[in-house]
Amino acid sequence: MPNPLYDTLFGQHQGRNTTFLQMADGTTVTHGDFLQLAAQYAGLIVRHGLRPGDRVAVQVAKSPQAVAVYAACVQAGAVFLPLNTAYTADDVYRFAENSGARLILCDGKCSESLQPVAHVCGAALETMNADGSGSFATKAAVLPRTFSTLDRTTDDVAAFLYTSGTTGCAKGAMLTQGNLLSNCRVLAGEWKFTAEDSLLHALPIFHTHGLFVATNITLLAGGKLVFLPKFDLDVMLGLMPQATTMMGVPTFYTRLLDDERFTRETARHMRLFVSGSAPLLAETHVRFEERTGHRILERYGMTETNMNTSNPYDGERRAGTVGFPLPGVEIRITDSSTGATLPQGEIGEIEVRGPNVFKGYWQMPGKTAEALRENGFFITGDLGRIDEDGYLHIVGRSKDMIISGGYNIYPKEIERLLDDEAGVLESAVIGVPHPDLGETVVGILVAEGQAVLDLDGIKRNIGGALARFKHPQRLVVLPELPRNTMGKVQKKELRAQYRDMFMPADPP
Ligand code: MLC
Ligand code: AMP
């Protein structure tokens, strides 16, 4: 029976003893063994009573078993809903509740805090630890190593990825089998992936970049992932000579360049370095080429759209740009207020249309209609221009969002907590340049009357409700926030004022 995503990415490898995953310690998992494990997991998902279209929320460490849960969801027709391991129990509650997840998979360490969440949501709770052990593996181990793949079409939803959104409300982006398939086919072709490739994989697998770009492309091409739990400089430097490709956020590249051991020789065996998820400074691009002889290939994507544009594999990879629309994908630059297409060269809202664009936000027709025009163009919230040679330049964001080390942070979520603190009249949260993370979070506070604010206390109070990566690195008190004549807070002014807060001073 057809299940296009399963058949194309996984089913084609049935019974093969080729290496799919190579771990940091050199141990490997073959495609065949991986698929048998996934089949057992698919069996367990079905035994939990899930039917095609039901959601499985997964907050587990990166491991071969975690990837097998993804494969199992696809095979059983369930919707895979991966969650950042840094999310708090409250975050997981919001996402599980909103999605109506019927099964939640978490690390054993979190099972106590998530038991009430599962109970309220009416979901089953199973554990999967970083080494793959836990109740899920134990129950699956006795099940058959084959599973009769359930029927799906390209229009069926394969995954939900949540984004908090500028208003702070959780939105589940529904990605169909067709979205994922079309994008990995195009990318594998454009970037010339083959079964000979070995991709150095240090990204998390709960986001588009590490999962749908790096993993899907490799599965499609039949290559190997050198599969690392996280970005660790020493491990990366040690294993790069065995790899042919790497995908990373800009922080990966600046960290590599900041280490003298990273040389032309380390990168000699590599054929491709891809960067995305956040802006790569032109300076990093240039330094990287000087050090290694490789030009980083920068591309542009989003949770809702997968990948939209890419610099060319052959041809000029232009620093400071994200290249051309991918085959089958249309990009246009519009006037944000009217939606009219602007002449080439002008700066405006980036909109995208193509088979990569998601189906909408789960149970949010209003939010979907705000983001997706009737003619199918998705309003990205990024600002850009297309130059005379057709390269897309991202020049800013119209959405209020911070990207720290490739993770999105929505100021509203933090401002709400700050505003609730005693003595705080109002707040504005901004992103400022950071040498390692690209941007980092700063909170600007205005005190009520004569109140004296205890900044450390405030940091501690709001900390408990926020994933670590969202914590403001600094809080600052101002007598008032800059506003325009309409009364709107001018974050641009605040960003300019604190631009150098974390940046090393230029040498005199
Ligand atoms: C970790 N920390 C961060 C952070 N990552 N803080 C801010 N921003 C981040 N991105 C904090 C932890 O909470 C911890 O805080 C401390 O840093 C050390 O944690 P760590 O796990 O050791 O961090 P580190 O290894 O340094 O991680 C940094 C990183 C990682 C950049 C390697 O964040 C990463 O892999 N980012 C990739 C994100 C990604 O995949 N994005 C793609 C989204 S998809 P403390 O206080 O406890 O010490 C997308 C679409 C597209 O955007 O186009 O691709
Ligand atoms: P997410 O919602 O996590 O998928 O993040 C998507 C956002 O990351 C985009 O809307 C952009 O703002 C940003 N982004 C992704 N790739 C790039 C890139 N190459 N350069 C600049 N910003 C990028």
Side-chain angles (χ1 to χ4, degrees):
M1 288 207 276
N3 178 324
L5 189 63
Y6 183 82
D7 301 341
T8 310
L9 297 188
F10 304 104
Q12 59 152 331
H13 302 300
Q14 209 78 51
R16 286 198 190 149
N17 64 3
T18 42
T19 301
F20 169 39
L21 302 169
Q22 178 192 319
M23 311 311 289
D25 63 6
T27 54
T28 57
V29 179
T30 65
H31 283 102
D33 287 350
F34 174 82
L35 291 182
Q36 290 191 356
L37 187 66
Q40 289 182 311
Y41 289 179
L44 186 52
I45 289 171
V46 168
R47 278 183 183 224
H48 267 296
L50 277 83
R51 301 168 64 88
D54 285 345
R55 276 74 59 200
V56 180
V58 180
Q59 190 192 35
V60 301
K62 184 176 174 184
S63 68
Q65 290 81 0
V67 188
V69 174
Y70 163 50
C73 286
V74 179
Q75 192 169 22
V79 174
F80 183 61
L81 193 174
L83 294 168
N84 192 323
T85 45
Y87 285 160
T88 63
D90 280 352
D91 292 329
V92 177
Y93 171 69
R94 279 190 300 144
F95 301 131
E97 209 249 341
N98 181 272
S99 67
R102 297 206 51 204
L103 172 63
I104 301 175
L105 213 54
C106 71
D107 194 287
K109 291 198 292 279
C110 303
S111 67
E112 212 178 298
S113 57
L114 290 183
Q115 194 68 59
V117 173
H119 183 73
V120 175
C121 297
L125 185 73
E126 295 280 6
T127 61
M128 177 173 277
N129 305 316
D131 62 1
S133 66
S135 65
F136 196 70
T138 306
K139 289 178 191 167
V142 296
L143 298 179
R145 289 165 189 272
T146 56
F147 178 86
S148 190
T149 305
L150 295 181
D151 246 353
R152 296 271 86 188
T153 71
T154 49
D155 201 37
D156 285 320
V157 176
F160 274 18
L161 293 190
Y162 271 86
T163 95
S164 284
T166 45
T167 54
C169 87
K171 296 182 289 184
M174 297 186 285
L175 293 156
T176 65
Q177 288 214 346
N179 295 147
L180 302 180
L181 266 178
S182 69
N183 213 234
C184 72
R185 282 191 174 123
V186 162
L187 293 173
E190 290 292 294
W191 297 343
K192 301 194 192 305
F193 270 75
T194 72
E196 303 307 310
D197 272 310
S198 165
L199 186 146
L200 196 52
H201 194 300
L203 287 162
I205 53 167
F206 42 71
H207 280 313
T208 300
H209 198 164
L211 186 65
F212 299 139
V213 186
T215 307
N216 281 1
I217 293 178
T218 303
L219 278 162
L220 181 72
K224 174 174 93 177
L225 295 175
V226 179
F227 203 63
L228 311 176
K230 58 179 289 211
F231 183 92
D232 176 311
L233 197 51
D234 293 336
V235 178
M236 297 292 278
L237 290 170
L239 290 174
M240 194 178 289
Q242 297 174 30
T244 59
T245 60
M246 183 184 104
M247 293 184 190
V249 294
T251 302
F252 283 22
Y253 293 100
T254 49
R255 286 189 184 177
L256 284 168
L257 285 169
D258 285 344
D259 195 304
E260 282 174 2
R261 293 171 298 167
F262 180 57
T263 61
R264 189 171 280 259
E265 186 55 27
T266 325
R268 196 175 55 81
H269 189 236
M270 298 287 281
R271 70 168 182 89
L272 178 65
F273 289 93
V274 177
S275 176
S277 310
L280 182 79
L281 295 179
E283 180 216 334
T284 311
H285 194 278
V286 171
R287 277 177 67 210
F288 199 86
E289 186 177 13
E290 282 168 5
R291 179 86 66 89
T292 64
H294 289 280
R295 284 177 86 89
I296 298 171
L297 183 153
E298 186 172 6
R299 63 27 169 212
Y300 160 55
M302 286 188 73
T303 298
E304 287 92 335
T305 64
N306 293 281
M307 298 305 104
N308 301 316
T309 71
S310 170
N311 268 281
Y313 187 88
D314 299 311
E316 186 195 350
R317 298 178 193 168
R318 196 169 282 185
T321 83
V322 291
F324 308 114
L326 288 164
V329 177
E330 293 168 82
I331 295 281
R332 66 176 192 171
I333 306 293
T334 61
D335 178 319
S336 306
S337 47
T338 65
T341 304
L342 294 172
Q344 186 154 356
E346 286 193 20
I347 293 176
E349 183 82 45
I350 303 174
E351 298 192 10
V352 54
R353 178 165 73 179
N356 53 320
V357 175
F358 77 144
K359 199 170 179 160
Y361 298 111
W362 167 247
Q363 290 184 336
M364 287 187 181
K367 298 268 177 220
T368 303
E370 278 169 30
L372 267 177
R373 295 194 188 279
E374 271 176 20
N375 61 9
F377 271 97
F378 175 73
I379 306 167
T380 60
D382 292 311
L383 299 174
R385 74 177 168 89
I386 296 175
D387 70 19
E388 59 287 2
D389 297 321
Y391 286 83
L392 177 66
H393 299 237
I394 300 177
V395 299
R397 290 172 214 139
S398 60
K399 56 192 167 191
D400 193 14
M401 179 181 94
I402 300 165
I403 307 184
S404 168
Y407 287 154
N408 289 0
I409 298 167
Y410 291 92
K412 197 83 211 152
E413 191 184 347
I414 308 169
E415 287 162 2
R416 273 206 197 121
L417 295 170
L418 290 171
D419 291 348
D420 283 348
E421 286 294 304
V424 174
L425 178 67
E426 60 175 348
S427 65
V429 167
I430 54 168
V432 300
H434 188 274
D436 181 40
L437 298 168
E439 281 183 315
T440 195
V441 182
V442 171
I444 320 286
L445 304 173
V446 177
E448 244 165 12
Q450 299 305 311
V452 176
L453 299 178
D454 166 14
L455 298 185
D456 288 337
I458 292 177
K459 261 190 173 176
R460 267 196 309 278
N461 289 349
I462 66 163
L466 285 175
R468 289 288 304 171
F469 68 90
K470 300 177 188 168
H471 287 202
Q473 291 229 355
R474 208 162 293 171
L475 293 178
V476 177
V477 184
L478 282 187
E480 60 182 10
L481 297 176
R483 293 182 189 277
N484 65 10
T485 46
M486 311 287 289
K488 191 173 179 316
V489 175
Q490 296 301 286
K491 289 199 170 179
K492 212 169 159 184
E493 269 184 40
L494 291 171
R495 282 193 288 266
Q497 188 173 348
Y498 296 106
R499 195 177 45 206
D500 298 326
M501 197 175 220
F502 293 95
M503 298 307 275
D506 282 338

